[in-house]
Amino acid sequence: MLNTNSCTRAVEDVKNSSGAELQSRWNKPGVCGLDNSGNSCYLNAVLQCLCSTVPLVEHLLNQDARKEFAKCRCRVAEVFARLLEKMWLGSSSICAPAETRSVLCSIFPQFNNFSQQDAQELLLYLLNALHDDLKKVAKRQTHFLKQPRKEPNRNIDAEPTIVSHLFEGQLSYTTICMHCDHQAHNTQSFTILSLPLPKDTSKCSIQDCLSLFFEETLLTGSEQMLCSECGLRRETTVLTRLEKPPEILLLHLKRFGRKGKNQVKLRTNVLFSMKLDLSAFLSCSEQNASAYHLYAVVNHMGHLNMGHYTAVCYNGPTQSWHCFDDAVLREVEDTHIQSPDVYMLLYSHKPFQKPKIQGL
Ligand SMILES: [Zn+2]
């Protein structure tokens, strides 16, 4: 049932007459502001998006899974699960992601300072760290179950985790030699699609950016590719297609570009919709896998090095959208999500429902 209680004030911990703490549950599970620990808005925006990624939250807050994290010393998964627990089951509308930040900084020293960083880069690092961590659980389970191994030297990097299951997609590239028409195919997995913005326009749609990404390109001059038929470097046409659409689609807009020697931020207003159809870019005819629903947006305001990040996320239990500006949060209508500051878009193939979390 929808929570129709209109009170959005934080429910503080209260003390009873004996002095023991009675914990009251904050009435909007999963809607929790994050303290800024010094230029950490990029981290907070990314954490908010992951906090609203329901299948990931369900997995990380599963009690059995958490026992495995502890056994396998999955430090990233453990601290992140503790943060998600506070955000989904805690008693306050604000919490501090200090522990998550310090673990991330110990793994990736480049984030260990108080300067502004790129949210897209952080998201990629965080997902990779989580994936690496969870592979230890997958490996232990394989060992424990004594599953027959087809390959004796099974590649641990190929071990699937909830991260690869949700976020990993695959692109296919078809290259055609312009001299002999020889075709070659290869595939590459991806976690985030970084989309170019059309030049010489102040306004475009997300479909325009996708069309540009999947546009047929001609490689000439120093970009020519070696043709296995000709045995020479030739002008080559490259056709990129979506081979395997991911369950969760992460789109990043390449706003930070170069103009000559200078770094610039492109301020193109990119219009997006709540639903996205990728059928035009699929390599096969698996049409039912190509429809997506928007569930989170990262915005970047201001200049290149002095900007500010916020996140707008969908909350399943309350079926409402909230804007998170570090510790400050407010509910927003879904008609007010569109923003000229959009930097990243998170879409899910399946629309999210209320998460299945013990104790929720
Ligand atoms: Zn050729």
Side-chain angles (χ1 to χ4, degrees):
M1 272 302 288
L2 261 179
N3 183 355
T4 50
N5 186 345
S6 63
C7 170
T8 55
R9 201 166 46 85
V11 180
E12 301 294 340
D13 297 354
V14 287
K15 290 192 179 205
N16 67 12
S17 52
S18 66
E21 284 193 354
L22 281 176
Q23 295 248 315
S24 306
R25 179 77 61 75
W26 159 233
N27 68 359
K28 281 187 171 183
V31 180
C32 184
L34 293 171
D35 275 331
N36 190 320
S37 51
N39 264 331
S40 63
C41 59
Y42 67 98
L43 171 66
N44 288 348
V46 164
L47 292 174
Q48 289 295 356
C49 291
L50 294 178
C51 171
S52 66
T53 306
V54 168
L56 182 69
V57 174
E58 283 176 341
H59 182 87
L60 294 177
L61 289 185
N62 178 285
Q63 296 301 337
D64 295 333
R66 291 182 75 176
K67 283 177 198 152
E68 292 294 315
F69 303 160
K71 280 179 200 157
C72 300
R73 296 174 184 273
C74 302
R75 219 153 46 102
V76 181
E78 279 191 286
V79 293
F80 191 41
R82 274 202 289 275
L83 177 67
L84 290 173
E85 188 174 38
K86 281 187 221 157
M87 294 173 85
W88 277 93
L89 301 167
S91 56
S92 173
S93 65
I94 301 173
C95 62
E99 195 189 18
T100 309
R101 182 178 183 158
S102 82
V103 167
L104 275 177
C105 289
S106 70
I107 302 171
F108 306 114
Q110 65 268 45
F111 294 109
N112 195 9
N113 56 51
F114 293 99
S115 67
Q116 182 66 266
Q117 306 277 351
D118 186 275
Q120 183 261 152
E121 208 176 307
L122 175 85
L123 177 57
L124 205 53
Y125 276 104
L126 180 54
L127 289 177
N128 280 338
L130 202 51
H131 177 62
D132 283 346
D133 225 9
L134 297 175
K135 279 193 298 201
K136 291 188 260 179
V137 176
K139 192 183 177 186
R140 184 178 175 276
Q141 284 170 343
T142 308
H143 178 76
F144 184 68
L145 295 169
K146 291 196 171 58
Q147 285 172 350
R149 294 185 178 199
K150 283 174 190 158
E151 309 151 52
N153 298 317
R154 188 166 156 182
N155 184 3
I156 179 72
D157 286 333
E159 208 77 61
T161 69
I162 185 72
V163 176
S164 56
H165 170 71
L166 291 175
F167 298 97
E168 200 177 283
Q170 209 163 52
L171 292 171
S172 72
Y173 300 96
T174 305
T175 54
I176 306 162
C177 170
M178 296 305 283
H179 185 78
C180 73
D181 283 338
H182 175 72
Q183 286 196 10
H185 297 275
N186 59 63
T187 57
Q188 195 173 25
S189 56
F190 70 90
T191 310
I192 301 180
L193 288 186
S194 285
L195 307 180
L197 301 175
K199 287 189 179 80
D200 307 319
T201 177
S202 58
K203 199 175 185 179
C204 72
S205 70
I206 192 73
Q207 284 287 343
D208 294 334
C209 301
L210 283 161
S211 298
L212 203 55
F213 179 88
F214 287 102
E215 194 178 58
E216 196 174 288
T217 51
L218 180 64
L219 303 178
T220 59
S222 62
E223 290 184 325
Q224 288 186 2
M225 288 176 75
L226 183 71
C227 171
S228 60
E229 276 299 298
C230 298
L232 289 167
R233 291 171 77 89
R234 297 287 195 193
E235 288 198 339
T236 313
T237 302
V238 182
L239 187 64
T240 308
R241 281 289 169 265
L242 192 56
E243 178 87 4
K244 181 187 157 275
E247 189 62 35
I248 306 273
L249 178 70
L250 306 177
L251 300 179
H252 156 240
L253 301 175
K254 288 163 98 171
R255 287 199 183 280
F256 303 127
R258 281 189 173 279
K259 223 173 201 172
K261 281 185 176 176
N262 298 326
Q263 280 222 310
V264 289
K265 181 181 172 185
L266 303 170
R267 299 189 181 274
T268 318
N269 187 6
V270 181
L271 304 176
F272 54 89
S273 51
M274 303 301 265
K275 285 188 181 171
L276 189 67
D277 183 8
L278 294 185
S279 54
F281 313 114
L282 288 181
S283 60
C284 57
S285 54
E286 208 191 327
Q287 297 297 327
N288 61 350
S290 64
Y292 285 90
H293 304 264
L294 185 72
Y295 75 92
V297 177
V298 172
N299 290 312
H300 180 269
M301 282 84 85
H303 300 289
L304 202 62
N305 297 316
M306 288 169 56
H308 180 60
Y309 286 99
T310 61
V312 184
C313 306
Y314 181 75
N315 176 254
T318 56
Q319 299 188 359
S320 56
W321 289 82
H322 292 83
C323 178
F324 298 94
D325 186 344
D326 290 325
V328 180
L329 64 93
R330 66 189 163 86
E331 192 170 331
V332 288
E333 294 289 327
D334 59 3
T335 48
H336 285 76
I337 298 163
Q338 179 68 54
S339 157
D341 299 315
V342 57
Y343 181 58
M344 293 181 69
L345 293 156
L346 291 85
Y347 284 91
S348 169
H349 174 47
K350 294 188 193 97
F352 295 154
Q353 307 295 330
K354 181 180 171 177
K356 295 179 189 78
I357 300 171
Q358 280 156 298
L360 187 68

